[in-house]
Amino acid sequence: MDLRALRCFVAVAEEGHFGRAAVRLHLAQPPLSRRIRDLEADLGCRLFDRIPTGARLTAAGRVLLPEARDLLARAERARERVRAAESVREVVLGAVAGAGLDSCPAALAVLRDTRPGLRLRLHDAPVTDPSGGLRERRADLALTRLPFDTSGLAVRQLGVEPLVAALPADDSLAARSRLHVRELAGRPRFRLPAGTDARWRAYWLAADEDTPGPVVASVEECLHAVVWDGVTGILPAGAARRHAHPGIAFVPVDGHPPSRVVLARRAEAPDPLVDAVADALADALADAHASADPLAGLHSAVPVVHPAAVAGAEASRPA
């Protein structure tokens, strides 16, 4: 499969819209659509259904998405390793579910001042991998969240982040200033795939294991499930700013432990460079995290709009 076609496929899947994916890829829409058609012809199946708001993955598309992400990550890793053989060593930082991203710019500025020759690359790990790529050796360090199985890892807590419920904008709870996690009982939730770390799955579901709802593998898919399927779920508070959408309301949640943001690395065979970067990054991130207010401006940033209005606005955009 052509890596360029896979990049186009992942962009359309994550954006849910051919036009927005073309803008993201700095590509005209006709060649993007042509690559998707070529990929579908190669695989012998349809990957997207056209809907009023853009494009939605078919069953085959949902199967391909994690595989495509994995192939692209492996290709990028191979490219970087070949380059690294003739260049300066780089440190790869995995990030899970937006952990530390609000504080990262300040932390990276400190790192650049103290280690100007360092190459630090971000690996955006899927929410199905709480190790942030450490276990598969895709990352040297990981900004992630507890709880999950940390055997074989050295973990340093940086701070805690409150949780929010992601709800359809016209839900009866959407206008509340706060709600208790018990008020979500009995509602369909977005769920993580079987085989994902058990403690991690239980924490983010915050409900019985047999609670119905779509299985998701990324924050984007969580939000799509809220808009398309009318489900709900809990997310870190920072998601309300990073993923504001007129069809979704984010309401602070009580009654469930806050997310513990941590910096993790493999405990085996300490690497002096990775250890030094970890210490500098942890100090800077802890300071930045302590001064941040993850709930600041939450309600003013996320207007409540009926999904029918969103559908009408999206339908007016060119696909």
Side-chain angles (χ1 to χ4, degrees):
M1 286 180 283
D2 189 325
L3 291 178
R4 291 174 299 180
L6 289 178
R7 289 191 185 94
C8 292
F9 165 74
V10 170
V12 175
E14 291 179 348
E15 296 293 338
H17 197 279
F18 277 78
R20 291 196 296 271
V23 172
R24 167 173 155 180
L25 294 170
H26 305 289
L27 186 68
Q29 188 171 328
L32 181 146
S33 298
R34 189 162 53 249
R35 286 177 183 171
I36 296 296
R37 288 196 300 270
D38 290 344
L39 181 60
E40 290 177 324
D42 181 35
L43 293 171
C45 60
R46 194 176 70 258
L47 299 173
F48 293 101
D49 288 325
R50 295 277 185 161
I51 59 174
T53 56
R56 178 169 59 195
L57 287 169
T58 63
R62 290 193 294 272
V63 171
L64 178 60
L65 184 56
E67 300 290 347
R69 286 173 172 148
D70 182 67
L71 286 169
L72 291 172
R74 289 174 182 271
E76 182 62 25
R77 187 167 71 255
R79 181 182 292 109
E80 292 298 333
R81 285 180 174 175
V82 171
R83 290 173 178 170
E86 297 295 333
S87 61
V88 178
R89 164 95 183 271
E90 75 171 7
V91 174
V92 180
L93 175 66
V96 183
L101 288 187
D102 292 336
S103 306
C104 257
L108 293 177
V110 172
L111 258 170
R112 291 190 189 100
D113 288 342
T114 56
R115 292 181 171 271
L118 175 68
R119 290 183 60 196
L120 191 65
R121 179 166 64 84
L122 187 68
H123 165 64
D124 190 11
V127 295
T128 52
D129 179 16
S131 81
L134 290 176
R135 298 209 185 279
E136 294 185 355
R137 297 186 177 275
R138 294 183 180 179
D140 302 296
L141 295 167
L143 275 169
T144 183
R145 303 172 184 275
L146 295 176
F148 68 96
D149 177 14
T150 59
S151 58
L153 303 179
V155 176
R156 177 172 175 178
Q157 183 164 321
L158 304 177
V160 296
E161 184 174 353
L163 303 176
V164 293
L167 302 154
D170 63 346
D171 190 281
S172 60
L173 297 176
R176 295 272 296 277
S177 60
R178 304 190 72 85
L179 59 84
H180 196 281
V181 70
R182 287 195 300 267
E183 295 178 84
L184 302 176
R187 292 166 175 253
R189 306 284 185 92
F190 43 73
R191 300 178 297 121
L192 294 174
T196 305
D197 183 276
R199 295 178 65 192
W200 178 259
R201 287 179 68 201
Y203 174 81
W204 290 109
L205 181 60
D208 294 333
E209 188 66 29
D210 60 354
T211 298
V215 174
V216 298
S218 68
V219 174
E220 289 80 7
E221 289 182 6
C222 294
L223 301 175
H224 291 168
V226 175
V227 174
W228 292 341
D229 302 312
V231 302
T232 187
I234 59 173
L235 292 170
R241 289 188 303 279
R242 289 189 295 272
H243 302 284
H245 187 287
I248 302 174
F250 297 92
V251 182
V253 171
D254 296 321
H256 198 63
S259 173
R260 290 177 285 161
V261 179
V262 298
L263 183 67
R265 59 177 176 79
R266 288 183 293 276
E268 63 183 34
D271 182 320
L273 175 60
V274 172
D275 291 346
V277 172
D279 289 341
L281 194 60
D283 289 343
L285 281 167
D287 290 344
H289 194 90
S291 62
D293 180 1
L295 295 176
L298 177 62
H299 287 283
S300 61
V302 187
V304 176
V305 179
H306 194 281
V310 179
E314 292 284 353
S316 66
R317 298 182 185 178

